[in-house]
């Protein structure tokens, strides 16, 4: 069995660090990105919209080509946000087109 190694400065190595140190997962993420970009451009990509209160912030996570992929990622995304201690955390899965900003802080006007 042949083992592939990647230098620490290659795109695969960088992606591997964000995929649990797994170069195969990093390589697959690299292959999937063009499909995600096209799906987002066409407005058929899946996104999670997560709204929190105290702090009042809207987070967008995506794009995902398949709803099932987003649903598989959602528990860890929600767990990370719960650690920040918002008073309310609501989420919706939407098929839409998004671009920056993906984190939107809502200011409340003082009365």
């Amino acid at each position: 069995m042949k083992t592939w190694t990647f230098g620490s400065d290659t795109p695969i190595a960088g992606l591997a660090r964000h995929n649990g140190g797994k170069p195969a997962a990093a390589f697959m993420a690299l292959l999937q990105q063009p499909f995600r970009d096209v799906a987002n451009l066409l407005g058929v990509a899946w996104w999670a919209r997560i709204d929190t209160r105290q702090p009042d912030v809207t987070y967008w996570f995506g794009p995902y080509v398949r709803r099932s992929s987003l649903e598989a990622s959602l528990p860890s995304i929600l767990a990370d946000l719960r650690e920040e201690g918002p008073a309310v955390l609501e989420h919706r899965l939407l098929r839409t087109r998004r671009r920056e900003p993906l984190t939107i802080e809502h200011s409340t006007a003082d009365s």
Side-chain angles (χ1 to χ4, degrees), residues 4-30:
W4 294 93
T5 58
F6 302 100
S8 62
D9 59 343
T10 64
I12 295 292
L15 280 172
R17 283 191 293 278
H18 295 289
N19 286 288
K22 300 175 186 168
F27 184 69
M28 287 305 295
L30 216 119

Side-chain angles (χ1 to χ4, degrees), residues 18 41 48 59 91 94:
H18 295 289
L41 181 67
Y59 300 93
H91 73 276
L94 304 167

